Amino acid sequence: MEDGYQNRTAFIKGAKDIAKEVKRQAAKKVGRSVDRMSDEYSKRSYSRFEEDDDDDYPMQGSQDGGYYRSDSQAANDDEGGHSDSTEGHDEDDEIYEGEYQGIPRADSGKGSLAGGPGSMRAGAQQFTDVGVSEAERRKDQEELAQQYETILQECGHGKFQWSLYFVLGLALMADGVEIFVVGFVLPSAEKDMCLSEPNKSMLGLIVYFGMMVGAFLWGALADRIGRRQSLLISLSINSIFSFFSSFVQGYSTFLFCRLLSGVGIGGSIPIVFSYYSEFLAQEKRGEHLSWLCMFWMIGGIYASAMAWAIIPHYGWSFQMGSAYQFHSWRVFVLVCAFPSVAAIAALNAMPESPRFYLENGKHDEGWMILKQVHDTNMRAKGYPERVFSVTTIKTVKQMDELVDTGTDTPVWQRYRMKIMSLSQQIRNNILACFSPEYKRTTFMLMAVWFSMSFSYYGLTVWFPDMIKYIQKQEYESRTITFTKERVEHVTFNFTLENQVHREGHYFNDKFLNLKMKSMVFEDSIFEECYFEDITSTHTSFRNCTFIASLFYNTDLFKYRFVNCKLINSTFLHNKEGCMLDFSDDFNNAYMIYFVNFLGTLAVLPGNIVSALLMDKIGRLRMLAGSSVISCVSCFFLMFGNSESGMIALLCLFGGISIASWNALDVITVELYPSDKRTTAFGFLNALCKLAAVLGISIFQSFVGITKAVPILFAAGALAAGSFLATKLPETRGQVLQ
C-alpha cells in the first residue's frame, strides 16, 4: 500500500512537471501575449475585489479612478488580502486544475484545423481583438493624460524642473551655436582651404541639410527608444564630429564632418521641447517652455563672443610644414563643441521622461521617476515629510510589435529583425500624423512652419549680406584711379590698396614684400619688372603685357591674369595654397561678430514678453499677433540704406519674430499625443530646415539687385502664416495628450 501511495505521488508530481513544461512552451510560443492577458485577468479580478469590498476599503480620489489609496487600505493589503486572480495556486506556485493556462494553441481543439471553420472564426476573432485593443489603448491614453496631470500637480514645480531646465538648455544652446559656426569661420576657411564660390555656398548650407535629416531621424526614434537616450546619442554624434571638423584639413572631409555634426544636433529642438513639456503642469507649460527658448539666444551670443575673442587672433595657431595647419578659426570650432559636451555630462544625471515609460507600459519605472520629482521638490521647499501618495498609475495597453526570433537565430539576423521592426514602427508613427484625426492639424502646422522659416532664415541671412554689400559699395566709392602713368626704377615695398591703374607703363620697377588688396591693372605694360614675396586679395591684371619680368614667391596665379601677354617672363617658387591673413579684414571681422551679437541679443525682450504672456493670452494670439507685426516690420526694410539702419532693422525683426517661434514650439508640443509628439515635431522641424535652405538661396540671389522682391516674399509668407495660425486649435489650459 505504501508503494501504491509513492507511485501515486510520483504520478501527480510528474503530471505537475508536464503541465509546467506545457505552460512554459505555450508562453514561449506566443511571446508576451500570455503575460499581458494574465495581467488583464488579474486587473479584472482585482477590480471585482474592489467592488465587493468597497465599504471595507475606502478609496481616496475616486474621481481619478481610485489610484490614490488611504493608509488603512494599504495596511489591509499588506495583511494578506487576496483576489480571485490568486486562485488555482498553492504555496509552491504549482499549477493544477482551474489555473489560467494562457492562449490555447491552434491545434488544441476541434475545428481549429487549417482551413476549417474554427480557423476562420479565429481569424475573425483576431481582427476583432486588434480593433478592441486599439480602442482600449486610446481609452488608456485619455485616462493616463488626466491622471498624469493630477500627479504633476501633486509633484509641484520646483528644484527638479529647474535642474532639468538648465540641462536641456545646454542642449538647446548647442543648437544655437551650430547655426552660427560655419558663418563665422567661412571668411577664414575660404582662404585656408582655397574655397570657390560654389564650395562656400555648399558649406554654408550643409549644416541645414544635416539638421533636416537629424530632426526627422531623432524625432522619430525618441518616440520609440526614449527622449533621454535619443538626445544623448544625437548630442554625442554632434560632439564627436564637431571635434573632428576642427582638425581635418581637406574641404571634403570638413564638409562631411559638418554634415554629420548637423545630423547630430538636429535632434535637439524636437526632443528638448517634448522632453521638458512632460515634466510641466498645464499652468506652467507655456511660460517655462518659452523661458527654455532663451538658451537658443544664449547659444548665438556664446558663438558671437567666442568668434570675436578667438578668430582674429591669427597667432593662436600652429602648422607642421605646408601639409597641416591649425589656425585660430579651428580653435573656435573646437570651443563651439563645449555646450554639447556639457549637455551630455549633465544629461546623464537626469531620468527618462516618466510619460514615455507609462505610454510604453513601464509602470514601475514611471512611478519611481515621478516619486523622485515629488521628493526633490518637497525637500527643496522644506516639506521633506510629505509622502508621494500615488500608488498606481494608469499604463497604456501595448500592441504586439516586436518579433521573438528565438535564441537559435544568428545575432546579425536578430539585429536585422529588430531594425526592421523599429523602422516599421517609425513608419507607422509618421503615417499616424496624417491619419484623419491629425491630418488637418499636420497640414496646417506644415504651412505655418514653412512660411515662418522661409521668411525668418531668408531675412536673417539677407541682412548681413546686405550690410556687406553696403560696405562694399562704400569701399568702392573710395577707389583711387590712375590713368596713363609712367613709373621707372621705383621700388614698391608698401601696401597697395583699392586702386585702379589704367594704361600705365612700368619700367625696371620692383615690387617687394608687399600686399595688394583690391588692386586692378588694366591695359598696362610691365617691362623688366621684379615681383617678390607678394600677397594679394581681390587683385587682377586685365589686358596687360609683361616683358622680361620675374615673379618669385608670389601668389599671383594664372587666374589673376585675364587676357594678358607674358613675353620672356618667368614664375619661380609660387606660393602654395591660399594664404590666410586675417589682418586685412580685421575690422570687418569684428563688425560681422558684433552685428550677429546685437541681432541675437535683440530677441531677449521678445523672449521675456512671450514667456510672461504665453499662458495669459494663449498660444494662437501670440503666434498670429507676432507674425502680423513681423510682416508689417518687413516694409521698413525699404528705408535701410545705411549700415547702421540695416543693423537696427535686423534687431527689430528678430525681437518681434521670436515670440511667434516660441508660441509655435509650444503649440506643436501640445497638439500631438505623447507617443507621436517627437515624431511630429521632428518632421515639422525638418520641413523648417528645408524652408530655410530655400529662403537663404532665394534671398541671397537678390542681394545688390533689388530689395523689393525679398521684402514681398518675406511679408507674404508671414501674412499667410499668421492667417493659417488662427485656424489651429487653441491648447491653453488643456492637459498634455
Side-chain angles (χ1 to χ4, degrees), residues 536 539-544 546 551 554-566 569-572 574-575 577:
S536 61
T539 296
S540 62
F541 298 87
R542 302 170 184 171
N543 301 317
C544 296
F546 294 85
F551 298 83
T554 71
D555 66 352
L556 299 176
F557 305 114
K558 289 185 178 180
Y559 69 87
R560 298 194 185 277
F561 299 91
V562 181
N563 296 326
C564 294
K565 296 181 180 179
L566 299 172
S569 298
T570 306
F571 290 83
L572 297 175
N574 282 348
K575 293 182 178 181

Side-chain angles (χ1 to χ4, degrees), residues 141-158:
Q141 288 176 326
E142 293 174 0
E143 293 180 10
L144 172 60
Q146 296 295 332
Q147 190 197 2
Y148 193 79
E149 181 63 36
T150 305
I151 295 172
L152 287 179
Q153 297 285 349
E154 180 180 343
C155 292
H157 188 94

Side-chain angles (χ1 to χ4, degrees), residues 17 21 26 34 118 121 191 195 230 312-313 327 357 407 413 424 436-437 439 441 453 461 555 575 624 640 670 673:
D17 292 339
E21 181 65 17
V34 170
R121 287 194 297 271
K191 298 179 180 180
L195 301 182
S230 297
H313 294 279
H327 294 131
Y357 278 143
T407 57
Q413 190 169 352
Q424 182 63 33
E437 183 178 1
K439 184 194 301 184
T441 298
S453 180
V461 174
D555 66 352
K575 293 182 178 181
E670 295 176 334

Side-chain angles (χ1 to χ4, degrees), residues 95-158:
I95 64 170
Y96 54 89
E97 184 179 359
E99 184 184 6
Y100 177 70
Q101 298 293 323
I103 299 175
R105 297 183 60 170
D107 57 352
S108 62
K110 293 181 180 181
S112 61
L113 298 175
S119 177
M120 296 175 63
R121 287 194 297 271
Q125 182 65 35
Q126 181 180 3
F127 286 111
T128 303
D129 291 344
V130 171
V132 172
S133 298
E134 187 62 32
E136 291 178 357
R137 180 177 172 83
R138 292 177 63 85
K139 183 180 179 182
D140 290 346
Q141 288 176 326
E142 293 174 0
E143 293 180 10
L144 172 60
Q146 296 295 332
Q147 190 197 2
Y148 193 79
E149 181 63 36
T150 305
I151 295 172
L152 287 179
Q153 297 285 349
E154 180 180 343
C155 292
H157 188 94

